[in-house]
Amino acid sequence: MERLDKKEINNIIDKLKRDGLYEKFVEMINDDFENHHIVYKLDSDEMIALAYKNNTIPFKMQ
């Protein structure tokens, strides 16, 4: 999986917050932990940005 630089992450997160999609991704990450006990090695903003960029959901990024 690729790594995004801080500027790319911030651009994607800002766009998601403007569009109101950020909370949806945060809820998915929390559900992944609660339901499947998945621990991600990336911080949540980078996970959200990668999921959005790759048009997938966090759980499918394993």
Side-chain angles (χ1 to χ4, degrees):
M1 188 179 319
E2 66 184 293
R3 297 284 301 198
L4 301 177
D5 63 24
K6 196 69 173 163
K7 185 177 179 182
E8 288 176 303
I9 293 170
N10 289 336
N11 288 340
I12 293 171
I13 296 301
D14 289 344
K15 179 180 179 186
L16 288 172
K17 285 182 178 178
R18 273 195 314 270
D19 296 341
L21 297 174
Y22 182 80
E23 291 301 320
K24 181 176 115 178
F25 282 98
V26 170
E27 289 173 9
M28 281 184 208
I29 289 174
N30 290 335
D31 286 345
D32 288 350
F33 178 74
E34 292 171 6
N35 295 334
H36 307 287
H37 303 290
I38 297 170
V39 178
Y40 295 109
K41 294 181 181 180
L42 303 174
D43 67 355
S44 60
D45 282 350
E46 186 167 5
M47 179 64 61
I48 291 168
L50 281 169
Y52 181 77
K53 183 177 179 185
N54 294 313
N55 197 26
T56 188
I57 61 173
F59 180 72
K60 291 186 177 182
M61 291 180 61
Q62 297 180 18

